[in-house]
Amino acid sequence: QVQLVQSGTEVKKPGASVKVSCKASGYTFTLYGIAWVRQAPGLGLEWMGWISGYNGATVYAQKLQGRVTMTTDTSTSTAYMELRSLRSDDTAVYYCARDRGDYDNWGQGTLVTVSS
Amino acid sequence: QSVLTQPASVSGSPGQSITISCTGTSSDVGGYDYVSWYQQYPGKAPKLMIYDVRNRPSGISDRFSGSKSGNTASLTISGLQAEDEADYYCNSYTSGSTRWVFGGGTKLTVL
């Protein structure tokens, strides 16, 4: 069965960077993209961007341009999301999801807390 | 502020039907049949309930249905059950600079 397993909880100081991983299994990684979605405490879902599992092409949400980088390692079927220059409003649960035009399988989420 | 507008909350009694709306523009909901709906329980990852406006993934109850008219998509849940109490989010492709957008979410309460 399809599974997306994310890395664990992170606590970072303002200005630092965080890199979250998402290891996929149960399907051919290169046939689908991976989307990243975050959810701040008590708030709704926010689309962050997408990366192709085939060729690494990316599309990022405009508000995150310049601070976010999404990458993949096809040898390990793993996607990564790095967010730099962290601010307190980046505190959120970060999800990866298999992207086929909709998000049919999700990771368990990674809590990233930004606090001094 | 989300690009797609959903009611903050809806409620219904067991057995009743409810509809959650998701209103956008001709640049997103109205322009493409790429609307999906997600159910989310507190502390859990979202779950795909409807894709491409009206299609149900395997394993999703036929009590859940989707539709679209103009710039508004809708999720209807019939025969409400206590287990349907959750947050629901719509998502649409957009021709804007952000390729995909979510609605603000709707909290469904089963009375």
Side-chain angles (χ1 to χ4, degrees):
Chain A
Q1 75 284 18
V2 175
Q3 270 196 307
L4 299 173
V5 179
Q6 299 182 223
S7 49
T9 298
E10 301 268 9
V11 179
K12 297 292 183 180
K13 295 194 182 303
S17 299
V18 69
K19 191 170 186 177
V20 179
S21 67
C22 170
K23 183 171 176 58
S25 62
Y27 72 98
T28 302
F29 184 75
T30 54
L31 292 182
Y32 299 85
I34 293 287
W36 289 89
V37 176
R38 69 180 180 177
Q39 186 171 35
L43 298 182
L45 303 174
E46 179 184 12
W47 186 84
M48 300 179 66
W50 164 90
I51 183 166
S52 167
Y54 174 67
N55 61 9
T58 53
V59 178
Y60 301 137
Q62 187 174 29
K63 68 175 288 189
L64 296 174
Q65 288 273 4
R67 287 207 301 138
V68 67
T69 300
M70 297 175 187
T71 57
T72 60
D73 181 344
T74 55
S75 69
T76 60
S77 299
T78 302
Y80 299 91
M81 186 284 299
E82 181 180 33
L83 189 60
R84 301 176 292 279
S85 302
L86 289 168
R87 310 187 290 245
S88 58
D89 63 356
D90 291 319
T91 294
V93 175
Y94 289 75
Y95 293 103
C96 63
R98 189 174 76 162
D99 188 332
R100 49 168 213 178
D102 51 60
Y103 314 125
D104 66 338
N105 286 274
W106 294 68
Q108 81 277 20
T110 297
L111 174 62
V112 176
T113 300
V114 183
S115 174
S116 55
Chain B
Q1 187 172 355
S2 300
V3 175
L4 305 181
T5 301
Q6 296 181 232
S9 64
V10 298
S11 62
S13 300
Q16 288 186 331
S17 294
I18 63 94
T19 296
I20 299 171
S21 60
C22 171
T23 301
T25 69
S26 58
S27 296
D28 38 67
V29 173
Y32 308 92
D33 285 341
Y34 298 132
V35 177
S36 52
W37 289 89
Y38 301 85
Q39 176 190 65
Q40 187 182 35
Y41 294 117
K44 299 296 186 182
K47 178 181 180 180
L48 178 65
M49 305 302 285
I50 295 287
Y51 67 96
D52 293 349
V53 176
R54 64 185 72 253
N55 296 307
R56 278 188 310 276
S58 174
I60 300 302
S61 170
D62 60 5
R63 297 188 299 106
F64 292 83
S65 62
S67 62
K68 190 181 84 167
S69 177
N71 296 334
T72 298
S74 298
L75 173 70
T76 298
I77 308 174
S78 58
L80 266 181
Q81 300 178 0
E83 68 201 48
D84 300 331
E85 185 163 295
D87 294 326
Y88 292 85
Y89 294 90
C90 61
N91 177 263
S92 173
Y93 178 82
T94 175
S95 60
S97 57
T98 294
R99 184 176 286 188
W100 296 90
V101 288
F102 282 98
T106 298
K107 181 176 180 58
L108 169 62
T109 301
V110 180
L111 301 170

